Amino acid sequence: MAKSSYFTTTTTIVTLLVILLPKSYCSVPKEDIDLLEFPLNLEYLEAEFFLYGSLGVGLDTVAPNLTKGGPTPIGGQLAILDSVTRDVILQFALQEVGHLRAIQSVVEGFPRPLLNLSAATFAQVIDSAVGKKLNPPFDPYASGLHFLIASYLVPYVGLTGYVGANAKLQGPDSRRLVAGLLGVESGQDAVIRALLYERALEVVHPYGITVAEFTNRISILRNKLGGEGVKDEGLLVPPADGAEGRISGNVLAGDPNSVAYDRTPEEILRIVYGSGSEKIPGGIYPNGGNGNIAKSHLPK
């Protein structure tokens, strides 16, 4: 895409995204509020990562009112993407803006937490997954394939959280919202997995590791950090672990009955902090998450 055309497109999108947040919150049972607010931590991450990757700007430019005054992310940047990947990631980015608005129209929410989206942060996660320090460090912004591998880290954790939350919600409006969010998050994860599955056996230069192996190692790391058994699977698995115990292709992750896994907020915090503990923030969330659930686990 020509540089002038790209920035014209970016300006047009940003101009169209002047979002007015409705202040008339729906009637939500008190016991549902924290469960509905907690996912904002991940929705902020997805919105910012996808916006920066596709447009080179974040919520501060696209929808500043949705940040509620939270600090600007660290290290987000425009990724070097092919036209198809950029189009897909931009669609995801704008969907995440809608998710933030949808949640904040039902509950008050909280300010965006500090997010570290630097290449170095993602490199640390990938190093932990593969069990060694890669050289050169993994850079999610370096190519479309790199960005898709990094994106494998994001929507799936959120969708397992929505599955876990849905059973605990009391109000029908709460359950309807989470079901709707879960549907789109699952779709995003499926698209990312499908795009990577097409290239599952491709060796990622210069690391000598296939795309499938990257996903397998990331899933193993998330299971380890979550601490509650297998709730995550890569793109290629032993046939006994595939659908109906008959196939190694694993374009969608699921339990033995191909039902989506669930996670608690605590499991999610252990994973996204990269520490294995909901009490020790780090990684993408250097100061931890926001909201009552995340803050209840942090030092007072």
Side-chain angles (χ1 to χ4, degrees):
M1 182 185 293
K3 185 174 182 180
S4 60
S5 174
Y6 167 74
F7 282 107
T8 299
T9 302
T10 301
T11 301
T12 301
I13 291 169
V14 170
T15 301
L16 290 173
L17 280 166
V18 178
I19 298 173
L20 298 176
L21 177 63
K23 294 299 182 183
S24 55
Y25 303 124
C26 297
S27 176
V28 173
K30 183 178 180 180
E31 57 267 33
D32 288 356
I33 293 175
D34 287 350
L35 287 171
L36 292 177
E37 289 189 332
F38 177 78
L40 286 169
N41 287 297
L42 297 178
E43 298 289 359
Y44 278 125
L45 165 60
E46 293 174 65
E48 295 288 13
F49 184 55
F50 293 147
L51 282 170
Y52 274 105
S54 60
L55 293 177
V57 296
L59 287 169
D60 286 344
T61 300
V62 173
N65 55 308
L66 294 179
T67 71
K68 291 185 174 287
T72 298
I74 300 167
Q77 64 186 79
L78 182 67
I80 301 171
L81 305 177
D82 58 271
S83 60
V84 172
T85 304
R86 185 178 303 281
D87 179 49
V88 169
I89 297 302
L90 177 55
Q91 290 181 50
F92 289 175
L94 301 181
Q95 290 162 7
E96 296 304 332
V97 172
H99 288 183
L100 288 168
R101 187 172 68 251
I103 296 172
Q104 291 182 19
S105 68
V106 174
V107 292
E108 185 174 359
F110 47 71
R112 172 184 56 196
L114 180 63
L115 301 169
N116 188 340
L117 305 178
S118 66
T121 295
F122 283 90
Q124 289 173 358
V125 175
I126 298 299
D127 286 351
S128 294
V130 301
K132 63 180 179 181
K133 192 173 183 64
L134 296 181
N135 186 27
F138 183 88
D139 182 354
Y141 304 105
S143 73
L145 181 56
H146 283 66
F147 197 85
L148 287 173
I149 291 171
S151 297
Y152 181 87
L153 293 165
V154 185
Y156 182 75
V157 176
L159 81 85
T160 58
Y162 283 132
V163 173
N166 206 38
K168 300 175 183 177
L169 295 168
Q170 302 300 309
D173 289 339
S174 304
R175 293 194 296 270
R176 171 62 185 89
L177 172 62
V178 166
L181 293 166
L182 173 60
V184 175
E185 293 290 330
S186 299
Q188 291 178 353
D189 181 64
V191 169
I192 291 167
R193 292 179 72 102
L195 291 172
L196 290 172
Y197 189 74
E198 287 185 311
R199 306 172 71 172
L201 300 181
E202 181 177 333
V203 176
V204 182
H205 181 78
Y207 306 118
I209 302 171
T210 66
V211 169
E213 186 62 17
F214 267 114
T215 66
N216 292 343
R217 295 292 187 90
I218 291 168
S219 289
I220 290 170
L221 175 64
R222 290 193 294 212
N223 286 328
K224 177 182 176 182
L225 292 172
E228 295 294 338
V230 174
K231 297 189 176 183
D232 218 302
E233 300 167 338
L235 294 175
L236 293 176
V237 297
D241 294 335
E244 295 302 295
R246 300 176 59 180
I247 194 165
S248 62
N250 199 43
V251 71
L252 295 179
D255 70 10
N257 292 316
S258 295
V259 174
Y261 293 104
D262 66 313
R263 282 190 171 112
T264 65
E266 287 72 25
E267 289 174 72
I268 289 171
L269 291 172
R270 295 169 203 157
I271 292 167
V272 299
Y273 290 173
S275 66
S277 171
E278 62 270 35
K279 299 179 180 182
I280 305 175
I284 295 172
Y285 296 85
N287 295 338
N290 277 346
N292 290 334
I293 293 177
K295 285 190 174 298
S296 72
H297 297 292
L298 297 177
K300 296 295 189 284

